[in-house]
Amino acid sequence: MTKSVVLASASPRRTALLKQMNIAHTIQPADIDESPRDNEPPMELVARLASEKAQAVKAYLEELQAMTDDKVILASDTLISFNGQSVGKPEDKADSKRILTMLSGKTHDVLTAICVLDNAQQQTQVITTSVTFAALTDEQIDAYWETGEPADKAGSYAIQGIGGEFVVSINGSASAVIGLPLYETRQLLNAFGVVS
């Protein structure tokens, strides 16, 4: 039986990465509350959000009676962990400036969780990548905000875009920082019978 992949995300970056892997898929964004729970560690938060996205899409497909045995749902979530605290998307320019000033000249972890499920099983994995930033000036941060790029990105930057200019080094999966770890995603999908 050929398995079909449903991506529980509207992220164009995740779609592009799946296409790069030659994995055909349909897109069904998940609408969930992404608020952290009280004192929830970043690792637990990112794993829970990826799992909840996958579950939400599965429930939606079940309502439509479209969750067949040949469907595999892939969900992912990415956030920044800095000093044990979760850093998500900036609320506005001031928040973006706060985040980038905090990350300036330091190393942070990018946590990307992937969750794959079908009618029989579910598996979630978290990949950690360490990213070291150069020291940023206020002028650089202001100019970066004006590009529009940081507004909807975890940690207020895109490594595959202009934000890549701030990155001194990466230790781990570069594609995970963009939103989908290629190696681990392939392994997990293969375990669920998806081959491309």
Side-chain angles (χ1 to χ4, degrees):
M1 174 172 45
T2 307
K3 299 286 186 86
S4 62
V5 175
V6 180
L7 177 64
S9 171
S11 162
R13 295 169 297 283
R14 291 190 176 116
T15 290
L17 287 166
L18 276 181
K19 281 185 179 161
Q20 186 181 320
M21 295 165 73
N22 200 27
I23 294 173
H25 62 282
T26 55
I27 296 167
Q28 182 54 60
D31 184 22
I32 63 162
D33 176 5
E34 299 193 23
S35 309
R37 293 174 179 158
D38 290 345
N39 303 315
E40 187 173 23
M43 191 77 79
E44 287 179 21
L45 171 61
V46 76
R48 176 175 65 82
L49 293 180
S51 175
E52 286 183 4
K53 286 178 183 179
Q55 294 284 356
V57 169
K58 182 171 187 259
Y60 173 75
L61 292 175
E62 283 171 348
E63 269 180 45
L64 299 177
Q65 297 184 330
M67 187 60 204
T68 47
D69 286 343
D70 64 338
K71 282 202 172 66
V72 176
I73 297 169
L74 168 65
S76 183
D77 194 73
T78 302
L79 58 80
I80 307 293
S81 174
F82 185 74
N83 288 345
Q85 300 296 312
S86 301
V87 180
K89 298 172 185 175
E91 291 171 15
D92 51 28
K93 180 178 181 178
D95 196 33
S96 173
K97 191 161 191 169
R98 175 190 69 80
I99 292 168
L100 290 171
T101 301
M102 180 175 75
L103 301 180
S104 170
K106 298 190 179 72
T107 299
H108 60 272
D109 286 336
V110 179
L111 308 180
T112 296
I114 48 174
C115 177
V116 177
L117 64 77
D118 60 15
N119 278 334
Q121 58 172 325
Q122 172 177 339
Q123 287 186 42
T124 304
Q125 198 175 349
V126 179
I127 290 83
T128 303
T129 306
S130 293
V131 177
T132 303
F133 259 28
L136 306 178
T137 64
D138 285 349
E139 291 75 18
Q140 282 176 303
I141 292 171
D142 287 339
Y144 184 42
W145 176 262
E146 294 308 320
T147 67
E149 188 177 270
D152 66 338
K153 309 291 188 300
S156 201
Y157 75 95
I159 201 166
Q160 74 280 15
I162 302 160
E165 296 174 18
F166 305 149
V167 176
V168 176
S169 66
I170 298 177
N171 186 5
S173 168
S175 62
V177 181
I178 299 170
L180 209 58
L182 298 182
Y183 175 77
E184 290 84 356
T185 299
R186 165 83 66 201
Q187 298 299 106
L188 212 45
L189 287 173
N190 284 351
F192 277 73
V194 176
V195 284
S196 61

